[in-house]
Amino acid sequence: MDKREFDLGNPQEDAPKRIQPKNRRKKWLRLGVVTVVVMAIVTVAVLWDTTAFDGLRRSFAYARADKDENGFAQLYSYDSDRSSCFALLDGSLLRASLSQVSVLGEDNNVRFSENVKFRCAAIDSNGRRAVAYDIGGTELYVLDSKGLLHHITCDSEVQSAQMGEDNKLAVVVNKSGYKAAAYVYDESGQLIFEYDSSDRFIMQAAVSADGKRLAAVTMGQHEGVFTSYVVIYRMNRQEPDAVCELPGEAVYDIRTVDHAFCVVAEKALYFVSHNGTIDTSYPFEETYLRRCSLQGDGFAALLLGRYKSGAQGTLLTVDERGKVLGEVETDGEVLALSASGHYVAALYSDHLTIYDKRMKECATLGNVGAAREILMRGDGSAVLAGNGNAGLYLP
């Protein structure tokens, strides 16, 4: 035995001890460093990657969820009311009907509930905050996952409301003495900007992603041709900063996608910059727009068809450059469409299919029961809502 491997010490006091050679200590040190680095990379990937590790992230996040063999977990229950509309708020479910506005946690506990008298309930959400309101009424409820944040009473009938990415709220009202008006409320519920239109009707309004601009869609005529206008205001000025004309177009919706305003019109999808120019567009050509969702990260999800209704159609995603990321032919009538994160969910009459943003199929749920609304979540899961309950599908 090599005596260099042992330090005998004082035989009267110490037991023999093995001495690790220096090169062996360095080897174990390097191995430990590499292990720590690899574990750190995997941890970051699991927590932050939005595609490759979503399944693993869901398995950790919902390990204790009571799921059936299809990965479906019953989470929310409420009174059956076909007038209900829904939105997700960091795991909680916001529901608005003609008679009630409520927020339910994932434990099915009621975090907020108030009886209302709405004529036409509507919701708009950015995923963290939402506004529930009555179209044609004057009441707006601003909520998050824990309940009510602000109750706003407008001085005129509300036509539409939209929650911006920075939590500013844009509201279009039928103001007396004007064609219409657009209000902007800050995070604390205070009115910080007002645009009164005396010559054109305002249909929609949206706050830019940076919270510094308001884009209002107005209607009018130009040289005898029906025209929609996207009027862009800076929050610190009363005069328009830019105007974008869309001759012969009816606008259905406007929202922010990255650093531009995405305008959903009758004939095309337009991406309008903050200076009022059309950066790019995606024409629908000889097809009709049936459904659209603009809540995906940097893309719009569209359902187009050669006819205004029916089972035949094409689901596709378009990025802010007007480029088609992916498309797929539908295999039935699409009842609802929802995009979030890097995913798109299509609810058919007898099944649910989840795609990634390139329209590659990720998961399918065959038995959707009486679900009539789908709410896609950024982690790849989806909530199916019916008349009296809603559940979470975990692929």
Side-chain angles (χ1 to χ4, degrees), residues 54 128 155 174 196 247 280 307-308 360 386:
D54 278 341
R128 304 175 307 278
D155 57 4
N174 295 320
D196 298 323
T280 187
Y307 307 98
K308 292 184 177 181
K360 178 182 177 181

Side-chain angles (χ1 to χ4, degrees), residues 257 293-294 296-301 317-319 325 339 341-344 357:
V257 174
S293 178
L294 304 180
D297 286 349
F299 69 91
T317 49
V318 180
D319 67 12
L325 300 176
H342 289 103
Y343 298 94
V344 179
K357 67 178 182 179

Side-chain angles (χ1 to χ4, degrees), residues 2 9 11 32 41-42 44 51 54 66 71-72 98 140 162 186 198 230 236 245 258 267 270-271 302 360 382 385-386:
D2 192 345
I41 292 174
V42 171
V44 171
T51 52
D54 278 341
D66 186 13
F72 192 77
L98 300 184
L140 300 105
Q162 186 180 130
D186 65 11
S198 57
V230 180
N236 57 359
E245 295 186 9
D258 285 347
K267 301 175 184 177
Y270 298 97
F271 294 90
L302 310 173
K360 178 182 177 181

Side-chain angles (χ1 to χ4, degrees), residues 105-138:
E106 287 188 335
D107 52 6
N108 202 33
N109 286 333
V110 178
R111 299 183 177 177
F112 171 79
S113 180
E114 183 162 316
N115 294 331
V116 296
K117 293 182 179 180
F118 285 177
R119 289 172 288 180
C120 184
I123 289 177
D124 189 84
S125 171
N126 64 11
R128 304 175 307 278
R129 284 193 180 192
V131 55
Y133 63 100
D134 181 19
I135 300 176
T138 59

Side-chain angles (χ1 to χ4, degrees), residues 17-310:
K17 295 180 293 183
R18 181 176 293 276
I19 299 175
Q20 293 287 354
K22 292 183 179 180
N23 59 345
R24 192 172 298 177
R25 288 202 303 269
K26 291 181 178 179
K27 178 181 178 180
W28 283 108
L29 180 61
R30 287 196 298 268
L31 181 60
V33 171
V34 171
T35 301
V36 170
V37 171
V38 170
M39 290 297 295
I41 292 174
V42 171
T43 301
V44 171
V46 169
L47 292 175
W48 296 107
D49 187 31
T50 54
T51 52
F53 290 92
D54 278 341
L56 182 59
R57 192 161 63 227
R58 289 193 303 270
S59 66
F60 281 112
Y62 302 104
R64 297 183 179 181
D66 186 13
K67 305 180 289 290
D68 62 17
E69 66 276 7
N70 296 315
F72 192 77
Q74 189 78 24
L75 291 181
Y76 315 98
S77 59
Y78 41 82
D79 294 335
S80 179
D81 190 333
R82 297 193 65 85
S83 69
S84 297
C85 50
F86 306 91
L88 293 175
L89 292 170
D90 291 330
S92 295
L93 180 70
L94 168 62
R95 170 179 168 266
S97 67
L98 300 184
S99 59
Q100 189 180 62
V101 174
S102 60
V103 176
L104 299 173
E106 287 188 335
D107 52 6
N108 202 33
N109 286 333
V110 178
R111 299 183 177 177
F112 171 79
S113 180
E114 183 162 316
N115 294 331
V116 296
K117 293 182 179 180
F118 285 177
R119 289 172 288 180
C120 184
I123 289 177
D124 189 84
S125 171
N126 64 11
R128 304 175 307 278
R129 284 193 180 192
V131 55
Y133 63 100
D134 181 19
I135 300 176
T138 59
E139 305 300 311
L140 300 105
Y141 295 82
V142 179
L143 310 106
D144 65 5
S145 61
K146 297 179 181 178
L148 182 68
L149 294 173
H150 313 295
H151 181 195
I152 300 172
T153 301
C154 289
D155 57 4
S156 304
E157 293 181 349
V158 176
Q159 181 174 312
S160 66
Q162 186 180 130
M163 186 62 64
E165 288 300 313
D166 70 334
N167 294 330
K168 288 189 176 70
L169 175 64
V171 182
V172 176
V173 299
N174 295 320
K175 187 174 181 178
S176 178
Y178 297 90
K179 295 287 186 180
Y183 299 157
V184 178
Y185 297 87
D186 65 11
E187 286 188 88
S188 62
Q190 299 300 311
L191 181 65
I192 60 172
F193 183 79
E194 180 177 346
Y195 160 45
D196 298 323
S197 178
S198 57
D199 56 347
R200 299 187 191 129
F201 291 101
I202 304 176
M203 304 306 297
Q204 299 277 344
V207 178
S208 61
D210 60 10
K212 297 180 180 179
R213 295 172 176 84
L214 173 74
V217 177
T218 67
M219 296 190 310
Q221 285 191 351
H222 181 70
E223 297 181 352
V225 178
F226 170 79
T227 302
S228 291
Y229 302 85
V230 180
V231 185
I232 300 174
Y233 282 82
R234 291 181 184 268
M235 295 290 188
N236 57 359
R237 297 179 56 187
Q238 289 296 316
E239 296 298 320
D241 201 46
V243 178
C244 176
E245 295 186 9
L246 300 174
E249 284 277 31
V251 173
Y252 300 139
D253 198 5
I254 180 171
R255 289 186 180 272
T256 57
V257 174
D258 285 347
H259 301 294
F261 292 104
C262 182
V263 181
V264 183
E266 183 179 14
K267 301 175 184 177
L269 196 69
Y270 298 97
F271 294 90
V272 179
S273 68
H274 291 172
N275 62 13
T277 60
I278 298 175
D279 288 341
T280 187
S281 64
Y282 179 79
F284 302 150
E285 296 179 345
E286 297 182 357
T287 59
Y288 295 97
L289 176 66
R290 294 185 189 168
R291 296 186 183 277
C292 178
S293 178
L294 304 180
Q295 280 77 25
D297 286 349
F299 69 91
L302 310 173
L303 173 62
L304 302 177
R306 295 186 61 84
Y307 307 98
K308 292 184 177 181
S309 62

